[in-house]
Amino acid sequence: MTHPTADSLPPVVDQQTWQTALDDLRRREKAATRELDAIAAQRRRLPMVALPDYTLIGPDGPIRLIDVFDGRSQLIVYNHMWSDGAEWQCGGCTSLTSQWTRLGILDNYDARFVIVTNGPIEDALAYKAKVGNKMDWYSSSESSFAADVDAPPGGGFAVNVFLREGDKVYRTWHTTGRGTEQLSYTFALIDILPWGRQEEWQDSPDGWPQSPTYSKWLDSPDVARLYAHGDVQ
């Protein structure tokens, strides 16, 4: 690993000078927090789209989308990228979903979080075990569900959120790309480190360690090695 030279390190200052600089940064951080609150408020007021009665495939066979809620009113779906016959599926999806191991907190919010992929359910469940994933997986291989929520076969990943009202299901929110970063604790931790993500696109001081984008991300075999046989309950 390349370390920054002494010349590239930030200046060393006294406590008061450091505190003043931190207070200046904190004002921007607080402004960003308030803006995120405002964005969340706007998200809660988005209009909804009524969905048809989709049928997915679960570990026990066909299951209606409304039953995937498992009695809850809200459902978050991570649409996992899938390539039929591949030994390893998308490294980014595999790494991101490996973080979500303690989702019982959603119970108090009348919500559930699951993975849906376009792969056959038998292959999906085998891959889940292979990489040590702990979430509940479903397959949309026999319906148009994934295509209809912007995660078609051969396409990218997505996060979709749904609301159940009686026997009706509505689509309330969708994101993809870097929009999924807000669901990851890893980037939040890495971004507060002095060196940050160390990716070439980031604005860092001259001489700071930087690497090609994605080069430090865990790939699928890394996730399997770390978590498939570990205790990540």
Side-chain angles (χ1 to χ4, degrees), residues 44-220:
R44 290 190 292 272
R45 290 168 172 80
L46 281 174
M48 305 185 298
V49 177
L51 297 184
D53 187 16
Y54 292 106
T55 297
L56 305 180
I57 310 297
D60 299 320
I63 180 171
R64 297 170 63 203
L65 175 62
I66 197 169
D67 293 325
V68 174
F69 283 75
D70 195 25
R72 298 169 179 86
S73 298
Q74 303 167 101
L75 178 69
I76 303 171
V77 170
Y78 184 87
N79 297 96
H80 197 295
M81 292 176 65
W82 189 270
S83 297
D84 285 336
E87 179 182 4
W88 298 103
Q89 300 299 330
C90 169
C93 290
T94 304
S95 180
L96 183 63
T97 57
S98 72
Q99 302 175 37
W100 300 319
T101 60
R102 294 176 175 87
L103 292 167
I105 188 174
L106 293 177
D107 292 345
N108 286 345
Y109 295 88
D110 195 17
R112 191 182 185 205
F113 196 149
V114 303
I115 291 177
V116 174
T117 187
N118 290 303
I121 188 61
E122 296 82 4
D123 295 346
L125 294 177
Y127 187 71
K128 169 188 172 179
K130 181 177 181 179
V131 298
N133 192 290
K134 300 299 179 182
M135 297 179 69
D136 292 319
W137 283 53
Y138 297 87
S139 169
S140 57
S141 61
E142 299 181 24
S143 81
S144 64
F145 170 75
D148 293 345
V149 296
D150 299 298
F157 62 94
V159 173
N160 280 282
V161 182
F162 307 95
L163 177 67
R164 180 180 66 85
E165 181 69 20
D167 61 353
K168 298 291 186 181
V169 174
Y170 302 92
R171 187 186 186 199
T172 65
W173 188 71
H174 163 268
T175 194
T176 189
R178 293 192 65 194
T180 61
E181 285 187 9
Q182 63 184 290
L183 308 179
S184 164
Y185 73 82
T186 57
F187 287 129
L189 291 176
I190 294 167
D191 282 343
I192 65 172
L193 294 172
W195 296 346
R197 303 185 198 186
Q198 305 174 44
E199 297 191 359
E200 292 173 333
W201 62 271
Q202 289 194 293
D203 182 0
S204 297
D206 291 340
W208 233 230
Q210 289 187 300
S211 306
T213 302
Y214 312 127
S215 62
K216 294 186 179 296
W217 291 25
L218 292 181
D219 202 356
S220 302

